[in-house]
Each structure stands twice: as C-alpha cells, then as structure tokens.
Amino acid sequence: MHLAYPAVLSALLFCTGLYGVLARRNAILVLMSVELMLNAVNLNLVAFDVWLSRAARDTLHSGQALTLFAIAIAAAEIGIGLAIVLAVHRDSGTSDIDRLRATAEGHEPDEPEADAAAEKAEATA
C-alpha cells in the first residue's frame, strides 16, 4: 500500500474534525471533533511508522508507541472534558458555546434586552 492513501484519509479526517470544531456550537460535538482530529494524527503516525520501518528493518516502532500514548492521553482528555461539560450544563442548563460565553468573568451579555432589563431592575430597586 502506498503512503498516499492513509495520508489522504488522515487529511480528510483532520479537515472534517477542524470543520466540526469551527462550525459546531455544542460543546460535546466540539469534543468529538477534537477526537476526530487526534485520530487523524494517530493514523498518520502509524502510516509513517510503517513506511519508515520498511527502509530499516531493525527499528523501534516509535510511531506506534507514540500513538498508544496519544490514545491514553485522549481517553483522559475526553473524561475530563465530559466532566467539565456536564458540570457547566448542570449549572447553566445549556452546553451551547455561544451562550456560555456570556457567563465568562467580566463579559457583558450580548442581548440588548438583557441590558435594558438589568437597568430597569436597578432603577426600580
């Protein structure tokens, strides 16, 4: 098998994951897109490791070892990421990234109705 086939597949997977990160607003779908990008990199690591190991017979399979390490890191990352998303969803009631931006420290709400309602509440108090 040529090196071009897994490299093209890896590039397509990475571009799909990049589109998912940039276009999605749901935090869980963004995490899934990041995992897709990481798996594309893992595919590239294994493909290049196999390609380089054909040239030198007595080599360590460092690409495959690095891929196993990346899979272990990805499992920890997705566990922590899902725990954070669930905690934020429990507090705010949404996992929409645009709506969560308003809860950032020092950030003004995006809706002018919310500003008007806040000013009205302060005036009546």
Side-chain angles (χ1 to χ4, degrees):
M1 181 187 309
H2 295 287
L3 182 62
Y5 297 134
V8 168
L9 178 63
S10 175
L12 288 174
L13 284 174
F14 191 85
C15 290
T16 304
L18 185 64
Y19 173 75
V21 167
L22 295 176
R24 299 293 179 182
R25 298 294 173 234
N26 190 348
I28 294 175
L29 292 178
V30 170
L31 284 175
M32 288 175 58
S33 297
V34 169
E35 289 296 320
L36 191 63
M37 291 168 56
L38 188 62
N39 285 329
V41 171
N42 287 341
L43 176 64
N44 232 354
L45 279 171
V46 170
F48 275 97
D49 181 52
V50 169
W51 182 65
L52 289 174
S53 68
R54 288 183 185 167
R57 298 286 180 212
D58 297 329
T59 60
L60 295 174
H61 293 287
S62 57
Q64 293 177 13
L66 189 58
T67 298
L68 288 175
F69 181 70
I71 289 171
I73 295 296
E77 176 256 336
I78 198 69
I80 292 171
L82 282 176
I84 291 171
V85 168
L86 287 175
V88 168
H89 185 270
R90 189 176 301 143
D91 287 341
S92 65
T94 184
S95 62
D96 188 10
I97 295 174
D98 289 336
R99 290 186 185 171
L100 294 177
R101 200 173 36 153
T103 62
E105 184 176 6
H107 189 274
E108 297 293 324
D110 290 336
E111 298 92 17
E113 298 87 22
D115 292 335
E119 289 174 5
K120 192 175 190 181
E122 288 177 6
T124 58

